[in-house]
């Protein structure tokens, strides 16, 4: 149990550091803004109680907000993802359900399941984040395109991360 908590804390520190120190400085043509830190919320154990999930998501989002001076935008997007996550996991649950200790990943559930799971969550996160940032509908389509392109790049980074940090004997 302690080892699992330490892994989660380590994952939090690494993903936030990568986001703040590297990815926050990536902006290509104003359309591509990858937000890899959302992987932290996606990889929390399946059986994490909803209230704990919401608190962790808020802490994750507000941490990014503190480093980027975005006054709650990331926190709002993260909390919505955390709120929707249990329902989405229930909808896409394997036939025999989840192992109580399961962590959503390519390694545990396979590529197809993970891509379906993460695509919906990342798109929700990015759409909410970008529309809160713009805070008007006059730029509806350009904001939507920005959110979708950034979500695609984020998903690519998430899949690369999943394969880079999976031990070869476990694949």
């Amino acid at each position: 149990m302690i080892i699992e908590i330490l892994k989660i804390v380590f994952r939090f520190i690494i993903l936030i550091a990568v986001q703040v120190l590297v990815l926050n400085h990536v902006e290509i043509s104003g359309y591509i803004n990858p937000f890899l830190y959302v992987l932290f919320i996606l990889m929390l154990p399946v059986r994490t109680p909803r209230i704990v999930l919401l608190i962790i998501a808020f802490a994750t989002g507000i941490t990014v907000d503190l480093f980027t001076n975005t006054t709650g935008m990331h926190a709002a997007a993260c909390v919505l993802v955390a709120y929707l996550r249990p329902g989405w996991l229930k909808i896409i649950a394997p036939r025999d359900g989840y192992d109580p200790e399961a962590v959503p990943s390519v390694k545990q559930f396979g590529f197809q399941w993970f891509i379906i799971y993460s695509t919906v969550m990342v798109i929700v996160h990015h759409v909410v984040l970008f529309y809160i940032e713009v805070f008007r509908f006059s730029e509806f389509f350009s904001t939507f395109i920005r959110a979708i392109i950034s979500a695609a790049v984020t998903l690519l980074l998430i899949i690369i991360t999943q394969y880079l940090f999976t031990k070869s004997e476990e694949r």
Side-chain angles (χ1 to χ4, degrees), residues 46 88-99 102 108-109 113:
V46 172
W88 182 235
L89 283 171
K90 190 179 284 186
I91 290 170
I92 63 170
R95 184 172 296 162
D96 40 331
Y98 296 107
D99 177 27
Q108 286 206 351
F109 294 106
W113 182 93

Side-chain angles (χ1 to χ4, degrees), residues 1 4-13 15-16 37-65 74-83 85 117 125:
M1 180 69 173
E4 292 303 315
I5 292 172
L6 289 175
K7 283 182 185 178
I8 291 169
V9 169
F10 180 72
R11 190 179 307 133
F12 175 82
I13 292 168
L15 287 172
I16 296 296
Y37 76 91
V38 76
L39 179 61
F40 176 71
I41 298 165
L42 297 179
M43 288 190 67
L44 289 170
V46 172
R47 302 285 186 212
T48 305
R50 181 171 265 173
I51 189 70
V52 174
L53 195 60
L54 291 171
I55 292 168
I56 290 172
F58 178 76
T60 303
I62 206 72
T63 302
V64 174
D65 285 328
H74 292 276
C78 287
V79 168
L80 181 62
V81 166
Y83 180 77
R85 181 179 178 254
Y117 164 67
H125 175 271

Side-chain angles (χ1 to χ4, degrees), residues 124-138:
V124 165
H125 175 271
H126 281 56
V127 166
V128 168
L129 181 67
F130 283 89
Y131 279 110
I132 289 174
E133 178 186 33
V134 172
F135 208 68
R136 64 182 169 273
F137 285 113
S138 63

Side-chain angles (χ1 to χ4, degrees), residues 6-7 28 31 33 74 82 85 122 159 163 167:
L6 289 175
K7 283 182 185 178
I28 302 170
Y31 278 91
N33 303 94
H74 292 276
R85 181 179 178 254
V122 169
I159 296 302
Y163 282 108
K167 294 178 184 168

Side-chain angles (χ1 to χ4, degrees), residues 63-75:
T63 302
V64 174
D65 285 328
L66 288 172
F67 284 108
T68 58
N69 197 25
T70 50
T71 61
M73 293 181 346
H74 292 276

Side-chain angles (χ1 to χ4, degrees), residues 12-42:
F12 175 82
I13 292 168
I14 293 298
L15 287 172
I16 296 296
V18 167
Q19 183 64 51
V20 170
L21 298 174
V22 179
L23 296 177
N24 280 352
H25 303 289
V26 173
E27 185 176 322
I28 302 170
S29 301
Y31 278 91
I32 300 175
N33 303 94
F35 294 108
L36 184 62
Y37 76 91
V38 76
L39 179 61
F40 176 71
I41 298 165
L42 297 179

